[in-house]
Amino acid sequence: MKRENVSILGSTGSIGESTLDVIGRNPDHFRVVALSANRNIDKLAEQCARFDAALAVTADPSLEQDLSNALKQAGARAEVLSGDAGLKEAAGMAETDIVMAAIVGAAGLQSTFEAARCGKKILLANKESLVIAGEVFIAEAKRSQARILPVDSEHNAIFQALPQDFEQGLSAAGVEKIILTASGGPFRDLPAEQFSEVTPEQACNHPNWSMGRKISVDSATLMNKGLEVIEAHWLFNAHPDQIEVLVHPQSIVHSMVAYRDGSVLAQMGTPDMRTPIAHALAWPRRIEAGVERLNLALMNDLSFEQPDLARFPCLGLAFQAMRSGASAPVTLNAANEVAVDAFLDGRIGFDGIARLVGDVMERTAVAGVQNLDDVLEHDRQARQTANEWVANFYG
Ligand code: NAD
Ligand code: MG
């Protein structure tokens, strides 16, 4: 196996750190060339020193000098860049073979798209890029022959359970449907009347997974599963009728593929993102990921149930956006990002997230999307509508 060069977009986050952990266990297979962060300069500098990265990027241009100082102090040799141009350089630089796209939210779109434009092997954690720019993104990856390997645990599981030639079409491959599992989040059994009292700390306290704050809140509203439904639609070229969601509170079966002959293939493992990360890094080979092994003999209770769309309307809104297509997923995602920020800052309640997203979708006409600029413009407009909604919340 040739040693491959890796750029990590969002290296200071939960996925970024897990990626560095797996790379650290497999130094003969991978070398870090570029790392990036939003504003956590000290952690970024420490990572650059530890992995001897050639390039360090902060998304915030006003922190360039601070980053240079922090690198010097940490004894790192990395060159410094910043802003969108810096992130794009990290994604597209000639030395890079693999790009781990692990920025959170639509903020990751342009750099992830640059990796597609440059034909890189893209390890996709940043699901929001695919949700909002699916058609444009997939077309660009096809043109440049970029390979997209899913890191999201459900999509990675489905990828493992599909035949290699699934790109010819799921039906042709004998697939009837793909079944995404959802943990149900921390409020799986909480009555809807109590949703207004939920605090950000409770929402971020996921029962099975340790993740960044935004995706933790998305898991609590089931918007995360909704975004994943749209992600699966694009990744696997799946018709909306071929995608199902099942709540599986133990998070051991990471997703399933159901075939025409009645077979159902599942991928299982302990809930640790280092497994899908290691799978995507080394694909089609297998490497050590450092995870606890699954002991099925100790598991006497693997259960599955239908999601409750009445208590978790975000999931239904996402299915609706997928079926509408065009700009609808952009509106859904932008409204959700504004809503999650507002909830985390205490400006709206937990129950306000679904109401905000539903209202903004109702107020926004669905329009065509031809290119990245269209995506960015719809994203901007939906954020504006959503911010007005938040401003009027207590009015
Ligand atoms: P996180 O908040 O822990 O980390 C986000 C990273 O992105 C950080 O490095 C941060 O510095 C960087 N970042 C934030 N805002 C930025 C901006 N405006 N510009 C540039 N960089 C910015 O998030 P995470 O939990 O690691 O999630 C990252 C992505 O992976 C998300 O899209 C999430 O949905 C997806 N994902 C995460 C998990 C998980 O277990 N954490 C699982 C599946 C998918
Ligand atoms: Mg997931």
Side-chain angles (χ1 to χ4, degrees):
M1 189 169 164
K2 165 183 157 281
R3 202 165 175 223
E4 289 183 289
N5 290 334
V6 185
S7 287
I8 305 179
L9 307 171
S11 64
T12 55
S14 165
I15 293 288
E17 290 208 289
S18 293
T19 306
L20 286 173
D21 182 274
V22 176
I23 290 176
R25 291 168 193 278
N26 296 277
D28 297 343
H29 298 325
F30 307 102
R31 173 171 41 218
V32 170
V33 289
L35 296 175
S36 89
N38 192 20
R39 315 195 73 234
N40 195 344
I41 297 310
D42 291 332
K43 192 192 267 188
L44 178 60
E46 177 269 317
Q47 291 177 336
C48 285
R50 189 152 41 98
F51 287 89
D52 194 28
L55 176 64
V57 182
T58 165
D60 183 345
S62 74
L63 294 178
E64 235 189 83
Q65 190 55 50
D66 290 353
L67 178 56
S68 293
N69 297 343
L71 286 166
K72 219 172 276 162
Q73 203 157 22
R77 66 169 178 124
E79 192 194 319
V80 174
L81 289 174
S82 70
D84 282 344
L87 292 170
K88 280 191 186 171
E89 176 64 21
M93 59 203 265
E95 303 90 302
T96 294
D97 304 301
I98 297 176
V99 175
M100 166 54 84
I103 291 174
V104 59
L109 174 61
Q110 298 196 61
S111 49
T112 307
F113 191 83
E114 179 69 5
R117 201 182 68 76
C118 297
K120 303 299 186 192
K121 193 191 285 182
I122 304 169
L123 276 44
L124 189 75
N126 176 227
K127 65 191 87 184
E128 295 91 344
S129 318
L130 202 59
V131 166
I132 66 177
E135 195 163 4
V136 181
F137 193 94
I138 295 290
E140 187 63 22
K142 277 217 173 95
R143 186 202 58 75
S144 70
Q145 295 189 319
R147 181 164 265 289
I148 303 172
L149 293 161
V151 168
D152 214 348
S153 58
E154 297 76 4
H155 306 74
N156 183 269
I158 292 162
F159 183 77
Q160 294 196 45
L162 282 172
Q164 293 244 349
D165 62 351
F166 75 86
E167 277 157 359
Q168 309 303 319
L170 290 185
S171 300
V175 173
E176 258 176 10
K177 60 185 179 187
I178 56 187
I179 303 162
L180 293 164
T181 52
S183 70
F187 311 132
R188 186 168 53 89
D189 296 320
L190 194 72
E193 305 82 72
Q194 292 177 33
F195 278 10
S196 60
E197 284 139 48
V198 158
T199 65
E201 281 57 45
Q202 290 169 324
C204 289
N205 189 14
H206 196 278
N208 305 339
W209 299 94
S210 151
M211 312 180 285
R213 282 166 77 77
K214 192 262 179 183
I215 184 176
S216 296
V217 175
D218 286 349
S219 298
T221 59
L222 289 204
M223 180 59 95
N224 182 51
K225 211 48 54 181
L227 298 176
E228 290 182 357
V229 162
I230 304 174
E231 182 185 11
H233 168 60
W234 291 116
L235 275 175
F236 306 120
N237 194 12
H239 188 274
D241 295 339
Q242 289 177 305
I243 307 173
E244 250 179 53
V245 172
L246 264 188
V247 172
H248 165 50
Q250 298 80 18
S251 300
I252 296 298
V253 172
H254 296 306
S255 278
M256 297 172 261
V257 177
Y259 286 88
R260 186 175 295 144
D261 59 5
S263 300
V264 178
L265 299 196
Q267 184 262 358
M268 293 188 279
T270 48
D272 188 323
M273 287 306 294
R274 289 176 299 176
T275 293
I277 289 168
H279 175 267
L281 269 171
W283 183 86
R285 295 186 175 80
R286 300 275 177 173
I287 54 173
E288 174 57 45
V291 306
E292 194 190 321
R293 302 303 194 251
L294 184 61
N295 184 346
L296 281 171
L298 294 179
M299 275 170 205
N300 49 16
D301 180 27
L302 292 185
S303 59
F304 300 89
E305 65 197 43
Q306 291 294 334
D308 181 348
L309 293 180
R311 278 190 308 133
F312 298 102
C314 286
L315 181 56
L317 290 169
F319 267 100
Q320 185 191 321
M322 169 174 61
R323 289 185 189 278
S324 302
S327 65
V330 187
T331 306
L332 173 93
N333 179 70
N336 181 57
E337 288 193 23
V338 171
V340 171
D341 267 354
F343 166 66
L344 287 172
D345 290 354
R347 286 176 287 136
I348 65 171
F350 181 74
D351 55 331
I353 297 174
R355 275 194 284 137
L356 190 166
V357 175
D359 282 357
V360 171
M361 282 179 69
E362 221 162 83
R363 283 181 212 177
T364 311
V366 178
V369 171
Q370 309 300 332
N371 51 43
L372 213 57
D373 287 342
D374 291 348
V375 173
L376 295 170
E377 180 54 23
H378 289 303
D379 178 76
R380 194 192 59 74
Q381 283 175 16
R383 275 171 208 272
Q384 192 177 332
T385 311
N387 277 312
E388 285 163 11
W389 195 101
V390 173
N392 293 328
F393 187 66
Y394 292 110

